[in-house]
Amino acid sequence: MSKVENFLTQEEEQEIVEAIRVAEKNTSGEIRVHIEKTTSIEAYDRAMEVFHLLKMDETELKNGVLIYLAVKDKTFVICGDKGINDLVPNDFWDCTRDVMVNHFKEGNFKQGLVNGVLRAGEQLQKYFPYQDGDTNELSNEISKG
């Protein structure tokens, strides 16, 4: 089994999926988490590839957010789609990143991801509040590379 398969337990994965569900109850934004062992290119470039592969750039309001982790490389990226980036300040994701880094430094990856997802949902709510009739456009499941 690869390292990424052992990175989180099934229970931890389900807690993260539940955090995504909760976060998306308050926003029309779509949040995904992608975990892979390593990347041979810059983490941001790989995150953008994954963003496209997961069809996150096809949401109606262009308001998808990807939290990408390369476990062995000890790096992660938070990236949002054009609809978000056109509206928010450049430091928009800093507080989400900082919450995650604090947990990651302690080796608590599950809690870092849960708190990051919930914080991302709070941030998105300011610009993309939940509207009646919003549909869940993307899977809440964690994808793996």
Side-chain angles (χ1 to χ4, degrees):
M1 223 186 251
S2 73
K3 186 173 181 176
V4 73
E5 297 301 325
N6 296 321
F7 184 63
L8 297 167
T9 66
Q10 190 66 37
E11 292 78 22
E12 289 173 328
E13 285 192 19
Q14 286 311 306
E15 285 184 59
I16 294 164
V17 169
E18 177 63 12
I20 293 170
R21 192 187 67 73
V22 168
E24 288 182 352
K25 282 170 73 172
N26 298 316
T27 177
S28 62
E30 294 287 333
I31 303 168
R32 298 280 324 250
V33 173
H34 181 84
I35 301 171
E36 56 190 24
K37 189 172 184 177
T38 187
T39 178
S40 59
I41 61 176
E42 285 292 319
Y44 179 81
D45 294 337
R46 177 62 183 145
M48 293 311 295
E49 278 183 5
V50 170
F51 197 93
H52 181 70
L53 289 170
L54 295 176
K55 300 188 182 324
M56 295 187 67
D57 49 2
E58 295 180 16
T59 62
E60 184 179 351
L61 297 176
K62 302 287 183 213
N63 60 354
V65 175
L66 176 65
I67 298 175
Y68 166 86
L69 276 82
V71 176
K72 187 177 173 197
D73 303 335
K74 296 185 175 164
T75 188
F76 73 100
V77 174
I78 305 168
C79 53
D81 205 352
K82 181 178 177 8
I84 297 169
N85 294 337
D86 285 352
L87 295 176
V88 303
N90 290 336
D91 63 353
F92 184 69
W93 296 116
D94 290 359
C95 64
T96 303
R97 179 202 62 217
D98 294 346
V99 163
M100 294 173 68
V101 165
N102 289 335
H103 285 288
F104 288 177
K105 282 181 180 173
E106 303 294 320
N108 195 344
F109 298 102
K110 184 268 300 181
Q111 199 59 50
L113 286 165
V114 165
N115 289 11
V117 163
L118 294 174
R119 179 64 61 93
E122 290 169 12
Q123 293 293 96
L124 284 172
Q125 184 179 6
K126 297 172 190 171
Y127 295 89
F128 298 97
Y130 182 85
Q131 307 284 328
D132 279 343
D134 274 345
T135 57
N136 189 7
E137 296 178 79
L138 299 172
S139 169
N140 294 343
E141 294 300 312
I142 296 170
S143 60
K144 296 178 183 160

